Amino acid sequence: MWLGHVGALAVVVGVVVCWIYRWRNPRCDGKLPPGSMGLPLLGETLQFFTPNTSHDISPFVKERMKKYGPIFRTSLVGRPVIVSTDPDLNYFVFQQEGHLFQSWYPDTFTEIFGQQNVGSLHGFMYKYLKNMVLNLFGPVSLQKMLPEVENTACRRLQQWSCQDMIEVKEETANMIFHLTAKKLISYDSESSSENLRKSFISFIRGLISFPLDIPGTAYHDCLQGRKKAMRKLKNLLQERRTMPKKQQNDFFDYVLEELQKEGTILTEAIALDLMFVLLFASFETTSLALTLAMKFLSDNPMALKRLTEEHEAIIRKREDADSALTWKEYKSMTFTFQVINETVRLANIVPGIFRKALRQIQFKGYTIPAGWAVMVCPPAVHLNPAKYEDPLTFNPWRWEGMEVHVASKQFMAFGGGMRFCVGTDFTKVQMAVFLHCLVTRYRWQAIKGGNTVRTPGLQFPDGFHIQIWEKELQKGKIHVHLDGQT
Ligand code: HEM
Ligand SMILES: *[C@@H]1O[C@H](CO)[C@@H](O)[C@H](O)[C@H]1NC(C)=O
Ligand SMILES: *[C@@H]1O[C@H](CO)[C@@H](O)[C@H](O)[C@H]1NC(C)=O
C-alpha cells in the first residue's frame, strides 16, 4: 500500500520533471536561438510586462540581448517566441509575409480585437479589407480631408485656450476620435448623447496588460469596454440599416452596400470588428504620438523655435494669411516631418510586431521551428546607438539628409513590408496640421505630469497637463476658421 503510493508519486514526479525539462528544452531539429523559456506555462510573461519609466529598450529585451545576442528565444502568454532585434531578420520577416511568416497576435489580442480583425486576416479577405481602408485613409482621401482636419485642430485649440488647464493625451484623443468617427460612421461625438468614446477608455488601460480575465484586472475591464463599444457600433449600424435612404458616404454606407451584394465575402461581424480596430488604432496611437511630441517640444526650445519658423514662413508666403492650408504647403513641412519621425522613433508606440513561422526556417545558423511566434522588436532598432547617435536624445535634425533606403531598415515605427501601417499618412497629416495650428497661434506651458511608463506599451500614467494661450502678436492678424461648426 505504502509502496504503491511511493510508486505513484515517483511516476508523477517523473512526468512533471520530464514535462519541465521539455518546457525548458523545446524539441527542435536544429539549433534554437539561445534564451530561457522561463517558468512552465507562465514563461517569461511577467518579466515582459514589468513597467519601466525609461524611453530605452525595455529591460526585458536589453538584458537578454546582452546575455544571448540579437536573436533569442522566450515564452510569452503561453507561446514559444523568438525575439528579433536583428535588422536582417526583421527585414526577412517583413519580406516573407504570407510566405514563410504570417501575421499572428497572442490570443489575448484576438480576444480584444475580435476574431476577424485586419491584423489576423489573411490572403484574399485581407487584401479586400485593406483596399477598403486605403480608400478611406489614402492620400486622395486625405487631400479632401485637409480643411476638416485644420478646422477641427484650430477649433479645439481655441477651446483649450479658454481653460485654465487641459490634459493633452485625453484632449488630443478626443479630437482625433471625433474626426475618425465622423469619417467612418458619421458619428458626431460633439452632439451625440451616447458617448461612444467613453467605452473605449477602460478598454485602453488593459490593452497591453497581463491577460487575466477576472473582475478588477485591467484586462477584464478591457474586455468589458470592448463589449460596450461593440454593442454601440452594432446599434449604429442597425440604425443606418433602417434608414438606408440617408446616404452619408462613409464607411457604414460602403459596408452596407457590400453586404447587400450577392456572393460577398464580407459579413456584419467582420465589418464591426474592422470598425472597432480602425477607431481604436486611429485615435489611441496618434494621440500618444502628439502628446509625446508636445512634451518633447516643451523640453526642447530650439526644436520648437525651428518648427515655429517653418510654419510662420508658410503663412508669410501666402497671398492671404487667412487662407486654408493647402496640400502643397503640407508637403513642404520638412522640419515638421523630421519632428514627427523623431517623435515616433522615440515613442515606440508598437513595442512588438508579431508573426508566426509557417514552416521551419533557418536563419544565421539558428532554427526557428514551424508554429513558433516571432516578435520583431522595433525599439531595439530605433534605439541602437550604432545607427542613431545618442539614441535617447530628441534630435529632429538627425533626420536631415538621412538616406531613405538606409532609413527603411532602421525605421519601423509603422511596421514594414506588406503589412505596413495603412494609417501612416493619416497620422502624419493629423500631427503636422495640428502642430501647424499650435505653433503659429499659441504658446503653452507644462503644468504637471508628462511622465511616461512602458508596460511595455507607452502610457502617460498621470497625463500631461498644460496651459495654453493665444499668442499676443498674432491676435487679429490671423483668425481662426470657425466655419460655424461649433
Ligand atoms: C502613431 C501612429 C501609428 C503607429 C505608430 C502605428 C503603427 C502600426 C504598426 C507598427 C503596424 C504594423 C503591425 C504589424 O505588422 O503587425 C500597423 C498596422 C496597422 N495600422 Fe497603424 N499605426 C499608427 C496609426 C494608425 C492609424 C491612424 C490607423 C487607422 C486609420 C492605423 C491602422 C492600422 C491598420 C488597419 C493596420 C493593419 C495593417 C495590416 O495588417 O496590413 N494605424 N500600425
Ligand atoms: C527600469 O530599468 C532600468 C534598467 O534598464 C532599471 O535600472 C530601473 O530600476 C528600472 N525601473 C524603473 C522603475 O524604471
Ligand atoms: C522619415 O522616415 C521615413 C521612413 O524611413 C523616411 O522615408 C522619410 O524620409 C523620413 N522623413 C524625414 C523628413 O526625414
Side-chain angles (χ1 to χ4, degrees), residues 247-309:
Q247 287 267 326
Q248 309 266 16
N249 258 326
D250 61 5
F251 199 58
F252 265 170
D253 281 337
Y254 196 97
V255 164
L256 283 176
E257 214 171 278
E258 278 297 322
L259 284 175
Q260 273 153 15
K261 276 188 193 156
E262 209 154 310
T264 181
I265 45 172
L266 190 69
T267 66
E268 192 180 300
I270 294 178
L272 287 173
D273 272 355
L274 183 64
M275 199 80 68
F276 182 83
V277 176
L278 285 178
L279 277 172
F280 179 75
S282 64
F283 77 87
E284 188 51 23
T285 50
T286 312
S287 62
L288 277 171
L290 261 181
T291 308
L292 198 59
M294 281 188 78
K295 168 86 173 110
F296 284 146
L297 290 170
S298 302
D299 298 342
N300 291 271
M302 287 281 284
L304 177 59
K305 184 162 170 279
R306 177 72 193 84
L307 187 70
T308 310
E309 283 163 7

Side-chain angles (χ1 to χ4, degrees), residues 61-357:
V61 172
K62 206 169 182 173
E63 281 162 19
R64 283 163 185 73
M65 280 169 77
K66 228 189 242 150
K67 209 160 149 193
Y68 304 122
I71 304 173
F72 58 87
R73 69 171 193 265
T74 181
S75 168
L76 302 175
V77 293
R79 274 282 190 151
V81 179
I82 303 291
V83 178
S84 167
T85 67
D86 179 281
D88 299 323
L89 180 53
N90 294 346
Y91 187 75
F92 182 67
V93 169
F94 287 144
Q95 293 313 304
Q96 288 295 322
E97 170 72 30
H99 303 287
L100 293 177
F101 296 96
Q102 192 171 61
S103 177
W104 171 83
Y105 280 84
D107 295 343
T108 53
F109 269 70
T110 335
E111 199 75 32
I112 291 165
F113 279 124
Q115 302 297 327
Q116 321 197 278
N117 71 73
V118 215
S120 61
L121 282 170
H122 316 293
F124 178 62
M125 187 62 189
Y126 166 76
K127 276 189 199 125
Y128 168 85
L129 286 177
K130 184 142 181 168
N131 282 335
M132 257 161 77
V133 176
L134 275 176
N135 267 338
L136 275 172
F137 295 107
V140 180
S141 222
L142 286 174
Q143 276 187 48
K144 272 189 256 160
M145 249 179 114
L146 199 62
E148 199 183 344
V149 176
E150 191 187 8
N151 277 327
T152 305
C154 290
R155 198 153 35 87
R156 294 281 164 138
L157 280 162
Q158 167 88 67
Q159 287 165 3
W160 300 348
S161 70
C162 303
Q163 293 169 31
D164 294 337
M165 186 168 83
I166 63 131
E167 201 279 285
V168 181
K169 173 67 185 63
E170 173 63 20
E171 294 297 337
T172 51
N174 259 326
M175 172 178 81
I176 293 158
F177 184 82
H178 174 73
L179 265 165
T180 7
K182 224 166 151 185
K183 176 96 184 149
L184 282 174
I185 54 180
S186 302
Y187 174 84
D188 190 340
S189 62
E190 283 175 1
S191 65
S192 180
S193 55
E194 266 192 303
N195 196 338
L196 180 59
R197 154 105 166 98
K198 245 202 180 133
S199 31
F200 276 92
I201 292 178
S202 56
F203 173 79
I204 291 145
R205 222 168 44 87
L207 184 64
I208 307 184
S209 63
F210 191 72
L212 194 60
D213 185 14
I214 51 173
T217 62
Y219 181 67
H220 179 79
D221 290 351
C222 176
L223 290 181
Q224 295 304 107
R226 172 178 160 89
K227 264 193 207 140
K228 258 192 229 157
M230 286 302 277
R231 236 189 340 259
K232 283 192 180 139
L233 286 176
K234 205 171 169 160
N235 288 342
L236 287 169
L237 184 63
Q238 216 55 48
E239 254 171 52
R240 187 67 69 79
R241 266 224 171 100
T242 54
M243 43 171 186
K245 292 241 167 57
K246 228 174 113 196
Q247 287 267 326
Q248 309 266 16
N249 258 326
D250 61 5
F251 199 58
F252 265 170
D253 281 337
Y254 196 97
V255 164
L256 283 176
E257 214 171 278
E258 278 297 322
L259 284 175
Q260 273 153 15
K261 276 188 193 156
E262 209 154 310
T264 181
I265 45 172
L266 190 69
T267 66
E268 192 180 300
I270 294 178
L272 287 173
D273 272 355
L274 183 64
M275 199 80 68
F276 182 83
V277 176
L278 285 178
L279 277 172
F280 179 75
S282 64
F283 77 87
E284 188 51 23
T285 50
T286 312
S287 62
L288 277 171
L290 261 181
T291 308
L292 198 59
M294 281 188 78
K295 168 86 173 110
F296 284 146
L297 290 170
S298 302
D299 298 342
N300 291 271
M302 287 281 284
L304 177 59
K305 184 162 170 279
R306 177 72 193 84
L307 187 70
T308 310
E309 283 163 7
E310 175 165 285
H311 289 280
E312 283 176 347
I314 287 175
I315 291 180
R316 254 199 320 274
K317 270 192 218 137
R318 287 179 184 163
E319 273 175 33
D320 175 6
D322 284 344
S323 59
L325 206 57
T326 66
W327 192 250
K328 197 167 157 230
E329 285 169 346
Y330 165 70
K331 283 291 183 189
S332 76
M333 301 173 176
T334 318
F335 188 73
T336 311
F337 292 124
Q338 289 173 216
V339 168
I340 294 172
N341 271 12
E342 184 67 349
T343 303
V344 292
R345 177 185 74 84
L346 279 164
N348 286 308
I349 289 164
V350 176
I353 297 174
F354 288 87
R355 295 290 185 270
K356 185 171 84 182

Side-chain angles (χ1 to χ4, degrees), residues 8-24 40:
L9 191 66
V11 170
V12 170
V13 169
V15 168
V16 169
V17 166
C18 204
W19 180 61
I20 293 178
Y21 178 82
R22 266 287 141 247
W23 177 269
R24 302 188 69 97

